[in-house]
Amino acid sequence: DVLNPMIHETPAEKVSADVRARFEKEAARLIREGVKAFGEMAALHLSFAEGHAFEQSSPDHPLFLLLAELAARHEVPIDLHMEAVPADMPVPAGFPNADGITLKANVSALERLLEHEPKARIVWQHIGWDNTGGMTLELLRRLLAAHPNLFLALRVEERGRTRGGEPMPHRMVDPEWKVTPAWRKLLEDFPDRFVIGSDEFFAATEGRKIPQSFEETWRILDQLPAELAKKIGRGNAARVYRME
């Protein structure tokens, strides 16, 4: 609620020395207050309903790059919300208020963010579902192999279809809630790079049902070898967020 709005309210070309100083001052205040992560920061956040924010800012925005420097300096990771967009595309079907909006390619910019400060730990949130069709296992595998400072926070939601009604692409589990062989192989190949995440919503209006994910996500641990489940369920997060 502090740093994220500053990024989205400031065009890249308008990042002055004064803006950088104010951003760094706010980050330092948060550090003093004991935050364990900068986040949730949004590079691309889709609007799912009226009143739900649409946010888009390139991951290599100057303030994102500055945040990576601060994250490295203070040893505080960045939690990043970003739908994967390998190439410019329209907003997928089913999302409201999308007329005239183009989703800008952001994968290369994410890599520039990761490379800008290799000591900054960046945790890409909500991995295990895909609203754009761009979050392929091939992409995740390539990024994990190329960038040791990238971590993935898993989220498996009860909703198995896209907003347009199609089966969710690249979903982590099959219709019987079994972790797919390809996903299991990815977890086994990079056992130190995954943590359990969540994204819970609590409706103010009685009777409104919002898809939840906490229990669904934790269920995958029961399908993994004990040592791998221990790392993903606890050990990796304790290390990444310095909570050991």
Side-chain angles (χ1 to χ4, degrees):
D1 291 338
V2 178
L3 302 179
N4 196 62
M6 292 180 68
I7 293 175
H8 290 278
E9 293 168 1
T10 310
E13 66 277 8
K14 299 290 187 180
V15 177
S16 64
D18 287 344
V19 169
R20 289 176 60 89
R22 182 161 58 92
F23 188 88
E24 188 164 357
K25 179 180 179 181
E26 290 297 330
R29 177 180 62 80
L30 294 171
I31 292 294
R32 289 196 303 273
E33 292 179 359
V35 299
K36 287 294 186 180
F38 290 124
E40 180 176 318
M41 311 299 296
L44 176 57
H45 182 283
L46 297 178
S47 173
F48 278 72
E50 296 291 338
H52 191 219
F54 173 85
E55 297 174 309
Q56 180 170 228
S57 185
S58 180
D60 64 352
H61 184 288
L63 292 181
F64 268 129
L65 299 182
L66 175 57
L67 186 63
E69 296 168 12
L70 299 172
R73 184 186 312 164
H74 296 287
E75 297 186 313
V76 172
I78 298 170
D79 279 351
L80 182 68
H81 181 122
M82 190 188 91
E83 303 286 348
V85 183
D88 290 3
M89 62 178 288
V91 177
F95 289 91
N97 304 320
D99 292 344
I101 295 177
T102 297
L103 302 184
K104 299 294 186 180
N106 56 22
V107 173
S108 295
L110 172 62
E111 293 199 77
R112 288 191 288 273
L113 175 64
L114 291 162
E115 292 166 356
H116 178 73
E117 179 43 86
K119 292 182 180 179
R121 301 186 301 279
I122 297 177
V123 186
W124 194 358
Q125 294 290 327
H126 318 322
I127 303 299
W129 72 332
D130 186 0
N131 292 298
T132 63
M135 196 175 290
T136 67
L137 271 74
E138 291 77 14
L139 171 65
L140 297 178
R141 179 176 291 277
R142 182 181 68 78
L143 293 177
L144 287 170
H147 304 285
N149 56 331
L150 175 65
F151 301 85
L152 305 183
L154 303 175
R155 177 180 187 259
V156 184
E157 190 188 86
E158 62 184 13
R159 176 171 45 200
R161 292 188 172 272
T162 66
R163 294 284 296 186
E166 300 296 323
M168 182 73 69
H170 313 123
R171 198 164 184 240
M172 191 175 181
V173 296
D174 65 20
E176 297 182 351
W177 220 268
K178 301 294 185 183
V179 176
T180 67
W183 263 104
R184 184 184 178 103
K185 183 69 164 58
L186 187 67
L187 298 177
E188 291 173 343
D189 288 348
F190 297 93
D192 299 322
R193 309 286 287 284
F194 290 91
V195 299
I196 287 290
S198 68
D199 198 20
E200 294 307 288
F201 295 86
F202 301 90
T205 304
E206 185 176 352
R208 181 183 175 197
K209 186 178 186 299
I210 299 176
Q212 64 100 35
S213 63
F214 187 80
E215 293 178 358
E216 278 73 7
T217 303
W218 274 94
R219 283 169 60 186
I220 69 173
L221 295 178
D222 294 334
Q223 304 178 44
L224 303 178
E227 192 59 32
L228 180 60
K230 184 177 179 180
K231 283 188 173 185
I232 295 175
R234 182 187 185 280
N236 293 343
R239 174 172 48 86
V240 171
Y241 293 95
R242 299 181 66 216
M243 299 175 70
E244 294 177 298

